[in-house]
Amino acid sequence: PTAHYFLDSVTGVFTISGKWDTENYARVNDPYGGTPVPWNLYTDYIKTVVIEDGITSIGEDLLYGCEKLTSVSIPDSVTKIGDSAFEGCISLESIEIPDSVTTIGGSAFQNCKTLKNIEMSKNVKIYEDTVLLKFPRCCPKCGRETTINIIQLRMTIELGNS
């Protein structure tokens, strides 16, 4: 079993289907090595990601640097979001993480400069350097204060230039 990937370059819809985890990838020129995502040359075309039911995890660096990504659909079959999975998705403004997700890896949303709303369950295990703690260190670079609303956690993070 494996995940399958399809990009419609006209509509910008990137579909992930199958009955398994997605692979873990590495960034291009990653000093630690690893395999870069095969669609690296096409990340500018990705505007919407549809993850179909059956996929159980979103792998490391899977959508790293998809700067035009504005929308993600995550099904209830997903239980884990890997390290840096959405890092650098600077156009992503909000995301709804289903209750089935129990783990979010480190830096999963680092440098998502326009991200304002994250909706997720109170039961998600958030690693120390992940979504909540990386924002204050990375987002002030966008040059303005931002509020991140963690809806289900009843938590708001104010981002400033500190």
Side-chain angles (χ1 to χ4, degrees):
T2 186
H4 303 281
Y5 308 93
F6 176 77
L7 172 62
D8 182 330
S9 61
V10 175
T11 63
V13 176
F14 184 63
T15 304
I16 303 170
S17 61
K19 302 285 182 197
W20 201 250
D21 297 344
T22 62
E23 289 81 6
N24 289 324
Y25 288 103
R27 299 168 204 178
V28 174
N29 301 321
D30 190 324
Y32 300 107
T35 305
V37 293
W39 49 89
N40 181 63
L41 297 176
Y42 305 98
T43 58
D44 282 348
Y45 293 99
I46 299 173
K47 297 176 185 169
T48 300
V49 171
V50 176
I51 301 169
E52 294 185 350
D53 191 47
I55 295 296
T56 54
S57 76
I58 300 171
E60 295 176 11
D61 292 308
L62 187 72
L63 297 163
Y64 175 87
C66 291
E67 294 184 352
K68 297 194 173 151
L69 178 64
T70 59
S71 173
V72 179
S73 172
I74 303 174
D76 289 335
S77 59
V78 172
T79 60
K80 178 183 177 185
I81 296 174
D83 296 348
S84 301
F86 295 97
E87 183 175 344
C89 295
I90 61 174
S91 299
L92 187 62
E93 292 186 6
S94 68
I95 190 164
E96 184 176 337
I97 300 169
D99 291 346
S100 59
V101 174
T102 56
T103 305
I104 299 177
S107 303
F109 297 99
Q110 182 175 353
N111 289 327
C112 292
K113 297 175 182 179
T114 60
L115 188 60
K116 295 180 183 112
N117 294 300
I118 302 171
E119 184 172 338
M120 67 179 127
S121 168
K122 296 175 186 174
N123 300 322
V124 175
K125 180 177 180 183
I126 299 173
Y127 287 99
E128 185 176 331
D129 72 337
T130 194
V131 63
L132 301 180
L133 298 179
K134 280 290 187 175
F135 278 116
R137 290 193 288 261
C138 66
C139 288
K141 293 178 186 174
C142 69
R144 62 185 174 84
E145 290 188 13
T146 307
T147 299
I148 304 295
N149 296 309
I150 309 297
I151 296 168
Q152 297 262 347
L153 294 177
R154 310 277 190 266
M155 198 179 291
T156 299
I157 299 175
E158 292 288 337
L159 298 179
N161 294 321
S162 55

